[in-house]
Amino acid sequence: MAGVEELYKQFGILADANEKAGEHEGAFLQILAAVKGSQAEKRLASQFIARFFKFFPKLQENAIDAMLDLCEDEDNTIRRQAIKGLPDLCKDTPEHLPRIADVLTQLLQSEDPAEITIVRNALTSLFKMEPKGTIGGLFSQILSGEEASRESAIKFLSSAVEEYGKKVLHPSPETEEYLVEEIKKAMADVTGEEFRTFMTILSSLKVMGSAHQELADIVGEQAELSQPFQPGDADIVDRFISCARQAIPYFVKGASAQTFFTYFVESVLPKLNEVVTSDGEDVKLEILKLCAEMSPHGLTDENIKAAIEPVYNLLLEYMPLPPGDEEEKSAEENSEPKFQFSYVECLISTFHQLAKKNPEFLTDTTAAERLKDFRLRLQYFAQGCQVYIKQLRLSLQGKTGPALQEEENKIKIVALRTTTNINAVIKDLFHNPPSFKSSITLSWKPPAKTQASTLTSPKDSKDTVVDEKRKRAGITPIKFDLPPETKSPKKSKPSTISVYTPPGRRAGASNGVVKGQTMPDGGRGRGFRQRGRNRGRGRGWRGGRS
């Protein structure tokens, strides 16, 4: 054990010298040489190198190489000890931190769970010590490393920012801005999952707290809105849906949706019927949902004028005219009309938002025939909608708590929200001139706290209050003659309100039952396919949609 004794002797020389340890270069060189010695010498060497590293600037590169040799030793106890000592090399010499962070990032690929924990702890120490340098080391692997190393680096970065971002990053705008620039570089070639992770990180940064438009623009670049929409390419369709979904929170906070919405109107809408439903998801419906969510946010007059007619024409495809006598007889003998409530909710709410800012589309003197035709369709669709509302309310009546959490009842609640939303918008549009005062929460969005109980109650108390206010103001509201949900022994008072009555039950109803309607399911859809276009390093737009 002469080697160990010699090491202790050299340690004593350096320790006794205190701040003048740098004058004893020979002692430090002997310690460096010990990394080629016995197991005991290696363990001591890793401790002594970290202790006296700062005193020998000319030997620091050699010392780092020696420590890295120990990090690759066959003995896992030596590896772990050396890994623990790496952050100590940076305490007084932060210029080496990016390199050490780069090395530790590569070591995340270890197959030893205990070793990975030590590596993560070491990286966390560096992140709290000097976040900018650590970020530089991580992105060295994210931008240029092997695929597995890149994935590990992104995962660590995400967890570190989530846990320590407020304490470590927020006080340093310079570091946050550096992180933003590095993420933008990495986004040149990302999977769908990596993209969402990066956007989550960006959204958490203090410097991006009010940069909603910049974040929306970053998403827009990732969506490749300058490229043609190809409905048969699952990768392109998935990319558009995922990016639009990612951008909507920024639109809600004030960013303009005009770039996405213009792309939808000009590129997606003309080819919407070519989008294929697969894996149990109605992709076309998912796109229409996103369109409805985008429509209230930051559109220009030019956007609205360009979009309103195509959206209106598509809405008409799902809102048929009432059948004539011969058509009615034929329909009764053959099949009932199919009301696709989910599609109509998306399109009628989008149209409502657009027409609110361009009412002339319905009220201009040249639009008289259009409005007349539209109201016939609204009447006919309202009748089917009301019958369906009655069925749903009767089905849900009396159910509370656990019963409402059953999957079947959850679907019915979403269906009830869908039809109630449609009903509210139709009321608005049937005013003369059309009104745009209704505000709805789309059925696939979280409902207001009181909305669920209101929906399943026999009467819509909110509408009653609003109507009373209108009466006091001298306004005669238009109401739909909804069938009663329950029999009541009390006789209602004669109403002095003008009531709009939809056409009588035709082919849309039979004994109070609407046949052939499409039940809204409120689902979020499937995940990304595990394939995609080759982009740069071959990283396709794969992963799962959020």
Side-chain angles (χ1 to χ4, degrees):
M1 300 292 289
V4 172
E5 292 176 1
E6 184 63 26
L7 274 179
Y8 276 117
K9 180 181 177 180
Q10 303 308 319
F11 171 82
I13 293 171
L14 296 176
D16 292 341
N18 293 319
E19 295 301 315
K20 295 184 178 180
E23 298 175 3
H24 303 277
E25 189 174 286
F28 192 65
L29 284 171
Q30 288 194 50
I31 291 173
L32 295 182
V35 300
K36 305 295 185 183
S38 66
Q39 301 299 86
E41 288 175 289
K42 291 177 181 179
R43 282 193 288 272
L44 288 175
S46 68
Q47 298 177 47
F48 298 165
I49 290 171
R51 168 113 181 233
F52 300 108
F53 179 80
K54 65 179 181 179
F55 296 111
F56 301 95
K58 293 182 180 179
L59 297 177
Q60 284 176 356
E61 289 297 327
N62 294 342
I64 291 173
D65 289 340
M67 288 290 282
L68 297 185
D69 286 342
L70 295 176
C71 290
E72 297 176 346
D73 197 86
E74 294 180 356
D75 188 326
N76 60 5
T77 60
I78 293 174
R79 289 199 309 271
R80 294 173 186 177
Q81 184 172 302
I83 291 168
K84 287 180 181 179
L86 287 178
D88 294 333
L89 304 183
C90 307
K91 287 181 178 179
D92 297 294
T93 54
E95 63 270 20
H96 298 296
L97 194 145
R99 181 184 175 189
I100 299 300
D102 186 342
V103 170
L104 286 170
T105 303
Q106 295 177 60
L107 292 175
L108 286 170
Q109 304 313 302
S110 171
E111 296 179 358
D112 182 348
E115 191 170 305
I116 290 177
T117 299
I118 293 170
V119 173
R120 290 182 63 84
N121 290 339
L123 269 172
T124 301
S125 297
L126 294 182
F127 187 76
K128 293 193 284 188
M129 184 192 307
E130 216 289 281
K132 186 174 181 180
T134 308
I135 290 168
L138 288 166
F139 273 92
S140 176
Q141 290 302 308
I142 290 172
L143 295 172
S144 306
E146 296 296 326
E147 193 71 17
S149 183
R150 171 191 173 92
E151 291 176 5
S152 297
I154 294 174
K155 184 178 179 179
F156 174 82
L157 177 66
S158 176
S159 63
V161 171
E162 181 180 6
E163 187 169 356
Y164 304 107
K166 290 183 179 179
K167 183 177 180 180
V168 175
L169 295 179
H170 285 193
S172 175
E174 180 185 352
T175 300
E176 289 197 336
E177 288 168 1
Y178 174 71
L179 177 56
V180 170
E181 292 306 312
E182 291 300 296
I183 287 177
K184 286 180 179 179
K185 293 177 188 175
M187 279 196 175
D189 183 18
V190 289
T191 65
E193 184 177 355
E194 290 170 349
F195 165 66
R196 285 187 297 278
T197 299
F198 282 139
M199 290 307 301
T200 300
I201 293 172
L202 289 175
S203 299
S204 72
L205 301 180
K206 189 175 181 180
V207 295
M208 304 299 285
S210 58
H212 308 308
Q213 189 61 57
E214 183 179 353
L215 290 166
D217 291 343
I218 291 172
V219 179
E221 290 177 11
Q222 192 64 33
E224 298 185 348
L225 300 180
S226 60
Q227 300 300 315
F229 182 74
Q230 299 178 28
D233 189 323
D235 192 54
I236 291 177
V237 174
D238 285 352
R239 178 185 296 277
F240 175 76
I241 291 175
S242 184
C243 289
R245 190 173 289 155
Q246 189 76 43
I248 282 172
Y250 308 128
F251 300 152
V252 172
K253 292 177 181 178
S256 171
Q258 60 178 297
T259 304
F260 268 94
F261 199 78
T262 297
Y263 184 80
F264 168 78
V265 172
E266 295 179 356
S267 301
V268 179
L269 194 57
K271 300 179 180 179
L272 190 62
N273 289 329
E274 299 175 37
V275 175
V276 179
T277 297
S278 61
D279 298 337
E281 180 197 27
D282 190 340
V283 182
K284 183 162 65 173
L285 178 59
E286 288 301 306
I287 293 174
L288 291 176
K289 286 180 180 180
L290 294 168
C291 175
E293 291 188 60
M294 286 188 279
S295 60
H297 304 297
L299 303 184
T300 64
D301 291 343
E302 185 180 351
N303 293 145
I304 293 166
K305 288 179 181 178
I308 192 166
E309 188 164 1
V311 170
Y312 174 77
N313 289 338
L314 184 58
L315 173 61
L316 296 190
E317 292 183 21
Y318 297 98
M319 297 192 76
L321 284 165
D325 293 339
E326 291 300 320
E327 292 174 318
E328 182 177 350
K329 184 177 179 181
S330 175
E332 288 174 348
E333 292 174 354
N334 296 300
S335 62
E336 305 289 355
K338 186 174 183 181
F339 295 120
Q340 300 198 42
F341 294 114
S342 293
Y343 280 43
V344 170
E345 181 193 13
C346 298
L347 288 165
I348 203 168
S349 61
T350 302
F351 177 75
H352 190 254
Q353 289 293 334
L354 298 176
K356 180 191 299 185
K357 298 175 182 177
N358 186 20
E360 295 81 9
F361 184 79
L362 292 176
T363 60
D364 191 81
T365 53
T366 60
E369 286 301 315
R370 173 190 290 152
L371 182 58
K372 180 180 178 181
D373 174 85
F374 192 34
R375 281 183 168 162
L376 285 173
R377 296 172 188 269
L378 291 173
Q379 284 182 323
Y380 182 53
F381 200 89
Q383 179 259 336
C385 197
Q386 291 163 25
V387 173
Y388 195 18
I389 288 174
K390 177 188 175 182
Q391 294 173 24
L392 291 166
R393 281 179 171 168
L394 285 172
S395 177
L396 292 169
Q397 190 174 1
K399 292 183 172 65
T400 58
L404 292 176
Q405 296 305 310
E406 294 174 5
E407 191 61 31
E408 181 180 353
N409 288 330
K410 284 183 179 180
I411 292 173
K412 289 178 181 178
I413 290 171
V414 173
L416 182 54
R417 291 181 63 195
T418 297
T419 47
T420 302
N421 284 342
I422 295 170
N423 214 32
V425 175
I426 290 178
K427 285 182 183 181
D428 252 13
L429 295 174
F430 211 83
H431 274 272
N432 190 18
S435 171
F436 304 99
K437 295 180 180 179
S438 292
S439 177
I440 63 173
T441 300
L442 296 166
S443 63
W444 58 92
K445 306 298 289 182
K449 291 182 180 180
T450 59
Q451 188 173 9
S453 59
T454 301
L455 285 172
T456 55
S457 65
K459 289 189 177 182
D460 191 335
S461 58
K462 181 178 177 182
D463 279 356
T464 302
V465 172
V466 171
D467 290 344
E468 288 299 321
K469 289 180 179 179
R470 287 174 175 171
K471 284 197 291 184
R472 288 197 295 270
I475 301 171
T476 302
I478 295 176
K479 301 192 78 172
F480 289 91
D481 190 15
L482 288 175
E485 280 70 31
T486 57
K487 293 183 179 179
S488 173
K490 295 181 181 180
K491 294 183 180 180
S492 59
K493 295 180 181 180
S495 174
T496 59
I497 302 173
S498 300
V499 177
Y500 156 60
T501 305
R505 288 181 180 171
R506 307 194 189 208
S510 177
N511 297 323
V513 178
V514 177
K515 298 181 180 179
Q517 67 258 12
T518 300
M519 174 81 80
D521 59 15
R524 294 293 300 182
R526 56 172 166 71
F528 287 118
R529 296 169 177 80
Q530 297 298 318
R531 66 177 188 274
R533 283 175 297 165
N534 292 326
R535 304 175 66 246
R537 295 167 55 173
R539 218 176 267 114
W541 190 260
R542 47 189 167 77
R545 282 199 219 140
S546 59

